[in-house]
Every structure is written in structure tokens, then in C-alpha cells.
Amino acid sequence: GGERFCAWAHAASVAMMPSVALLCEAMADQRKYAYDDTKDTRRSTQARGEVVFGKLGSAEAKSMQVEDQVEGAKVAGAERLHFTLLLCKIFVGNVLTLWLQASFLAHGFDLLGVEAQWKITISMTLSGATALVRCCQTAQKLGVQGCVVSSIILFFVVWTGMKVHYAYICPHHVWNLSTWSCVSRVGLV
């Protein structure tokens, strides 16, 4: 069923194959709407009309729909787990790594050549953009909880971007969030 596609999507995500992960996520999403051949399609269609005219409650009409609701619930639970783990992976695997790379760039700025500085900056920009796009996709699937975690991820990506920006601006290449200013060498170890 659909849970298997969610497991494959998670494995593809861990293996850093995003296109395969997206394909498996789409397949799992389609499995939520499996056809239940034990239900009467004529009665299902009639129930939708009765809801419109107030003859039938929406909960009763939903139970008459021809989709396999048990399979849909299983897939929805598996998807929720997959997308929650994906957000955790984005935060720990991508965003915190970007933050550490920004610190490396700031502290090693004078030791790096101009080409290395730009390579690190471009790599971090692309990684940050990828993390944000994947975050937005995942937040849509998880609702409010996904938006909360995505906002935390957005905060760290913006913080990282500020660190990179000020690595080029500050005289000693280090910027501090708590003071919102450049840090002097006196404060560095």
C-alpha cells in the first residue's frame, strides 16, 4: 500500500535522491484514494446531492464515498511521519550544516582565497534555497506544525545568510546576532 511508498520516499531522502523521494511521495499520495469496490457508487453519488439539500449529514455522506478510508488513514499517518522526519532532516542535516559553514567562512575568511570564498558562498546559497523549497513543500503537507518548524528553519537560514553577508562586510568578518553588530578581534579566541 501507500505506507510502502512513504518508506521508500524516506529511504530515497536519506540516500539524497530527491527526485525519487518526490516520486514516491506522489505515489503514496495517490494511494490515499484507493477504490473500495464493496460500496455502491450510485448511492455515493446520491449522498452527495442529499448533503447539498440538507437531507444527509456530511459525516454520513463521507462514509458512503467509494474511497477506501482505512487505507487512506494508514497512508495519511505514514505521510505525516515521513514529512516530520524530513523536516528534522532538513533542520539537522542541512540548516545546521549551513550555519557551521557560515561560521567557517567567517573565521577562515582571511585564509581562504577569493575563489574559495565565492565557491562556499554559492554552494551555501543553493543549499539554503533547496532547504527552503523543500520546507515549503513539507509544511503544506503537515499544516500548522509544519509551518512552525519551517519558521524555525527559516530563522536559521536567514541567520546563516546574515553571517555570510557580514563576513564580507565586517572588518574582522564575524557578525553576532545577539548584539546585531560586527565582532572585533578582541572578542575572538
Side-chain angles (χ1 to χ4, degrees):
E3 304 100 330
R4 184 175 299 148
F5 283 107
C6 286
W8 288 345
H10 179 68
S13 177
V14 169
M16 295 189 181
M17 298 188 305
S19 58
V20 175
L22 288 171
L23 175 67
C24 291
E25 288 167 10
M27 293 300 293
D29 196 42
Q30 289 179 5
R31 290 292 189 149
K32 281 195 290 193
Y33 307 105
Y35 176 69
D36 185 359
D37 58 357
T38 62
K39 294 186 179 174
D40 182 18
T41 56
R42 185 179 311 138
R43 181 66 188 128
S44 173
T45 304
Q46 184 181 6
R48 278 182 246 143
E50 290 176 0
V51 167
V52 171
F53 295 113
K55 296 179 181 178
L56 190 65
S58 61
E60 292 172 287
K62 185 172 179 164
S63 69
M64 293 179 187
Q65 294 302 312
V66 293
E67 63 188 44
D68 187 351
Q69 294 174 356
V70 173
E71 178 69 17
K74 285 181 188 176
V75 174
E79 275 186 336
R80 189 157 201 69
L81 175 65
H82 165 68
F83 288 119
T84 301
L85 291 174
L86 184 60
L87 273 180
C88 291
K89 177 187 173 272
I90 290 169
F91 182 69
V92 174
N94 295 58
V95 175
L96 291 181
T97 302
L98 283 173
W99 188 85
L100 288 172
Q101 284 179 329
S103 296
F104 164 75
L105 176 67
H107 289 288
F109 197 86
D110 291 329
L111 302 174
L112 298 171
V114 173
E115 186 177 339
Q117 293 168 358
W118 281 105
K119 283 181 181 179
I120 292 170
T121 303
I122 291 170
S123 171
M124 289 177 62
T125 302
L126 293 174
S127 295
T130 302
L132 288 176
V133 166
R134 198 68 174 117
C135 240
C136 290
Q137 292 170 343
T138 304
Q140 289 176 347
K141 301 282 185 173
L142 289 177
V144 173
Q145 295 153 335
C147 289
V148 169
V149 175
S150 292
S151 64
I152 293 168
I153 290 172
L154 176 64
F155 170 75
F156 272 89
V157 170
V158 169
W159 184 8
T160 300
M162 298 292 285
K163 286 177 75 164
V164 171
H165 171 72
Y166 282 107
Y168 287 93
I169 303 292
C170 291
H172 298 291
H173 313 293
V174 179
W175 178 77
N176 188 357
L177 176 67
S178 63
T179 61
W180 203 265
S181 64
C182 295
V183 176
S184 67
R185 284 281 180 210
V186 176
L188 299 176
V189 177

